Amino acid sequence: MARARKNVTDALLAEKAKMIRRETVKLTDLCGSGHYGSSFSMAELVAALYYEFLHVRPAEPRWPERDRFLLGKGHAAIGLYPVLADLGFFSSEELDSYTRLGSPFGDHPDMTKVKGADFSSGSIGHNLSVALGMALGLRLQGSPARVVCLMGDGEMAEGQIWEAAMAAGNFGLANLIGIVDNNRVGSDGEVARIMDNEPLAEKWQAFKWQVQRIDGHDLPAVCAALDWALNGAAAGPRLIIADTIAGKGVSFMEGTWQWHLGYLGPADRDRALAEIERGLVP
Amino acid sequence: MSGKVYDQQADPALDMAESTVQAGFDPKSWDMVGSLNLSRQLPTGQVLLDLAAAGRADIVVLTADLGRPTQVIQFGQRYPERYFNFGIAERNMIGAAAGLATTGLTPVISNYSFFLALMGLENIRNDICYPNLKVRMVGTHSGIAMGFYGTSHHCNEDIGALRTLANLSLVAPCDANAIRAAIPALIDHPGPVYFRVGRGRETPVYEAPPSFTLGGSNRLREGRHATIFAIGNLVSAALEAHDLLAKEGIELCVVDCYSIRPIDQAAILAAAKEHGILFSAEEHNVTGGFGAAVAEVLAAAGAGARLVRIGMPDAYSVLGPPTHLYRHYGLDGAGVAATVAKALRAG
């Protein structure tokens, strides 16, 4: 049976991606430091996943049949929380406690505290293994659910990723979907200069994954790839390499590694928010 | 109870069909299939098969290319769809166990302790203990059981590392019957559990599955001069020491203190009060290990008793056959008896 899509418009998804960027800027204001670059690079991917594809029930966060979403690049949680709040997993007012003493919402997602967070992360390279365990368990129990793990391209340097990739390919996990947010930067600079991971598609294909490579900010392309990955028939795991731009949506951040982590003073914050409201410049 | 001659008879449940050692071979020859016969005190696979046969369809077993040496292969042969071999990729296996647990299954990891607990420590911490997931880990071949395989295959640090992980229960069943008691007793414990076990060649202690509860201990011998709290291989060594010391007029009370975390504080404090001197015995570095846990109980209560910690020194083990190593480090019956006698005479 075909999995249902919500069939929302690209315009709505673009608005949600805008919201992710806007709320990232606002939340960073609360604590004085934030991962702008990697939140902005994944905005279209997360918007399309949650508003078009994933089967979740905000009123029933642990619904057994739900699709799972794991944020391997946990430092981008600041871009996930506003989506979970907007969907109703918790109120947006709760998010005002972001990073404050005892808050459920820290720099990395915590499954024990945040409704809608399917697993915790923060230690890069762990979540694809957890996702494959979920996929094994769901398949064993005949669940129709999908498990989606969004990773960073810097994360490709972790050896455990390739342990998990090899296992998922060998276990033939058709309910497991990987996405690489290929924004090309990490803490120390450009990924290609720190530890080049190319040719990336060929690596995953060699590990028995089917791979598509897309522009991760092109919403029709993102939706087509997610439809293939989540809803199409396959014998094994699928990977989407989403070529993205770190800091996408704010001109002075785009393509920079310097805004992997940072803080915008009030004047620059307003400048960034104005650019975000104007939307992406192709 | 102690000193039972270890059973060289072939395990009737063992499927020898895949063994290359067939008719015409020397009776002393063994290959990977036959090696399971040498480790009769490691019945994890059979215990899990029994649980599955009793209706536990939620149990899934994970290993990292060590299903035979850690003896869960039997489960995989009977329930291949519930048995996952990850190849030599321990950290991936630990993460997958966490993922499996979130789907309502009960994952049991069976692997060498040095790769599971030492290599996998951060994965165990972040993915299993912090989310408090119902994963069972059986860390085998702990201590210096691997003898001449060398330091990479020794594990004298796992207790020290694991007992700092919040949410984790840590127990050490000392022989096959203790494992037969421990796994069913804790299979439904709401949080993560680590079973620290040996290679399966230990001297048996129990003739039947003993009482096994978190925070409990089993008093195996009475004695009016001192108490020894032992875990693992040192339980049988302490029983042997009991018999040796009896000939010298020393009466040693022997306790199998199988629950390392939580630990049986009442038993430790009662022994301290009764004798003023007590002994801990473990196949682990005395720094940070089981003896350190006993010391913490005594110090926090202001018990004022002397504690003699028997275990591995704060150094990497020399290599050699395990029985030679136990003698070398004073971890066999004679060694334990000598340490106890010397301490009591000095006292």
Side-chain angles (χ1 to χ4, degrees):
Chain A
M1 197 176 76
R3 281 167 51 91
R5 285 180 59 169
K6 295 194 185 71
N7 292 312
V8 300
T9 63
D10 287 346
L12 180 132
L13 295 180
E15 278 307 310
K16 297 300 184 185
K18 249 187 216 183
M19 176 198 75
I20 290 170
R21 296 188 172 96
R22 183 174 61 238
E23 294 304 315
T24 295
V25 171
K26 290 182 174 174
L27 288 171
T28 300
D29 232 21
L30 295 174
C31 61
S33 86
H35 286 98
Y36 298 103
S38 42
S39 173
F40 292 2
S41 67
M42 71 171 193
E44 279 71 28
L45 297 167
V46 172
L49 275 166
Y50 272 96
Y51 293 97
E52 176 65 15
F53 289 100
L54 292 182
H55 294 182
V56 294
R57 290 181 178 171
E60 195 184 346
R62 300 282 174 196
W63 174 42
E65 302 271 284
R66 74 192 183 281
D67 293 333
R68 272 70 167 175
F69 177 71
L70 295 90
L71 189 60
K73 43 174 279 180
H75 52 279
I78 193 170
L80 175 63
Y81 297 147
V83 171
L84 297 178
D86 185 51
L87 288 170
F89 282 98
F90 45 83
S91 73
S92 49
E93 287 74 31
E94 287 180 66
L95 211 40
D96 292 340
S97 73
Y98 177 69
T99 69
R100 300 302 85 188
L101 182 66
S103 172
F105 307 102
D107 193 64
H108 300 90
D110 185 331
M111 65 187 282
T112 71
K113 296 171 183 155
V114 178
K115 285 180 186 163
D118 285 308
F119 210 81
S120 306
S121 59
S123 185
I124 296 288
H126 282 215
N127 268 10
L128 187 62
S129 298
V130 176
L132 96 83
M134 290 178 176
L136 282 170
L138 292 167
R139 184 174 73 176
L140 183 60
Q141 296 172 86
S143 168
R146 304 289 193 265
V147 184
V148 180
C149 183
L150 177 60
M151 299 164 276
D153 55 331
E155 191 168 4
M156 299 298 103
E158 284 279 8
Q160 193 181 335
I161 288 293
W162 302 103
E163 295 180 6
M166 189 182 290
N170 277 302
F171 289 138
L173 287 170
N175 54 350
L176 179 64
I177 295 96
I179 304 172
V180 179
D181 176 6
N182 194 33
N183 67 25
R184 297 189 170 79
V185 302
S187 290
D188 270 359
E190 295 169 32
V191 168
R193 286 171 180 267
I194 297 161
M195 189 53 67
D196 188 12
N197 59 37
E198 294 290 356
L200 195 54
E202 288 84 344
K203 283 190 180 73
W204 286 87
Q205 283 162 344
F207 283 75
K208 304 179 188 170
W209 288 59
Q210 291 181 54
V211 179
Q212 282 198 8
R213 190 157 194 158
I214 56 159
D215 172 348
H217 299 299
D218 177 350
L219 280 167
V222 167
C223 287
L226 288 174
D227 193 41
W228 163 76
L230 275 86
N231 301 336
R238 280 157 286 189
L239 183 85
I240 297 169
I241 299 174
D243 288 317
T244 59
I245 294 172
K248 181 71 175 176
V250 174
S251 57
F252 58 85
M253 290 182 174
E254 286 192 359
T256 69
W257 55 266
Q258 289 89 342
W259 287 98
H260 173 75
L261 187 70
Y263 170 69
L264 292 170
D268 295 323
R269 178 195 64 209
D270 293 344
R271 197 153 59 98
L273 286 172
E275 284 198 26
I276 288 166
E277 291 315 311
R278 280 201 296 274
L280 299 189
V281 180
Chain B
M1 246 176 169
S2 67
K4 187 177 168 188
V5 176
Y6 125 79
D7 185 1
Q8 285 281 7
Q9 294 289 306
D11 181 347
L14 193 59
D15 180 4
M16 296 294 290
E18 284 186 280
S19 176
T20 62
V21 180
Q22 302 290 351
F25 275 80
D26 189 300
K28 287 181 180 160
S29 298
W30 54 271
D31 62 3
M32 286 298 289
V33 177
S35 71
L36 272 66
N37 256 333
L38 303 174
S39 298
R40 302 293 297 280
Q41 299 303 312
L42 197 47
T44 310
Q46 188 57 50
V47 171
L48 296 173
L49 278 174
D50 291 346
L51 285 167
R56 294 299 299 258
D58 57 312
I59 293 173
V60 292
V61 177
L62 298 81
T63 190
D65 197 25
L66 290 170
R68 287 183 196 281
T70 72
Q71 304 233 42
V72 287
I73 185 71
Q74 306 92 324
F75 188 93
Q77 288 165 341
R78 175 68 182 81
Y79 299 105
E81 74 285 359
R82 287 189 241 158
Y83 179 80
F84 304 112
N85 196 330
F86 286 83
I88 308 170
E90 295 80 4
R91 294 180 302 145
N92 182 47
M93 169 183 66
I94 295 164
L100 282 157
T102 68
T103 71
L105 296 169
T106 303
V108 179
I109 294 174
S110 180
N111 218 73
Y112 286 163
S113 53
F114 26 98
F115 302 139
L116 176 59
L118 301 183
M119 182 196 294
L121 183 66
E122 192 245 13
N123 301 71
I124 292 173
R125 171 185 180 265
N126 285 338
D127 296 341
I128 293 176
C129 293
Y130 176 59
N132 203 18
L133 292 172
K134 235 180 79 175
V135 176
R136 281 80 192 89
M137 295 165 271
V138 184
T140 70
H141 298 62
S142 56
I144 49 174
M146 289 292 263
F148 54 77
Y149 289 69
T151 299
S152 66
H153 283 56
H154 295 164
C155 195
N156 294 320
E157 303 86 358
D158 52 345
I159 296 174
L162 293 169
R163 75 184 186 92
T164 63
L165 298 183
N167 292 336
L168 182 68
S169 299
L170 173 59
V171 297
C174 67
D175 73 355
N177 276 321
I179 290 171
R180 289 185 187 108
I183 293 177
L186 297 175
I187 195 76
D188 289 323
H189 179 71
V193 181
Y194 187 99
F195 301 86
R196 183 186 201 252
V197 303
R199 188 181 189 179
R201 302 183 184 183
E202 297 72 36
T203 304
V205 168
Y206 295 104
E207 288 169 352
S211 162
F212 206 101
T213 55
L214 270 186
S217 64
N218 286 326
R219 192 164 165 130
L220 302 178
R221 296 287 186 276
E222 300 298 331
R224 61 190 170 90
H225 292 122
T227 302
I228 186 164
F229 290 86
I231 58 164
N233 248 336
L234 271 296
V235 178
S236 65
L239 290 172
E240 195 183 330
H242 167 91
D243 295 347
L244 292 170
L245 290 166
K247 293 172 190 164
E248 300 179 37
I250 296 173
E251 293 180 21
L252 181 67
C253 174
V254 178
V255 176
D256 174 8
C257 197
Y258 56 79
S259 183
I260 300 169
R261 174 192 165 93
I263 199 164
D264 191 344
Q265 300 197 28
I268 292 166
L269 293 175
K273 191 175 176 187
E274 191 178 349
H275 303 126
I277 180 167
L278 59 164
F279 299 83
S280 63
E282 65 195 301
E283 191 178 335
H284 184 280
N285 191 330
V286 291
T287 303
F290 165 69
V294 174
E296 288 167 13
V297 172
L298 296 171
R306 184 178 171 211
L307 171 69
V308 178
R309 290 170 301 155
I310 297 168
M312 291 297 294
D314 196 0
Y316 295 98
S317 172
V318 298
L319 65 79
T323 50
H324 296 207
L325 289 179
Y326 296 135
R327 188 160 64 237
H328 177 80
Y329 287 110
L331 301 181
D332 59 356
V336 170
T339 302
V340 170
K342 188 178 167 194
L344 289 178
R345 289 193 186 110

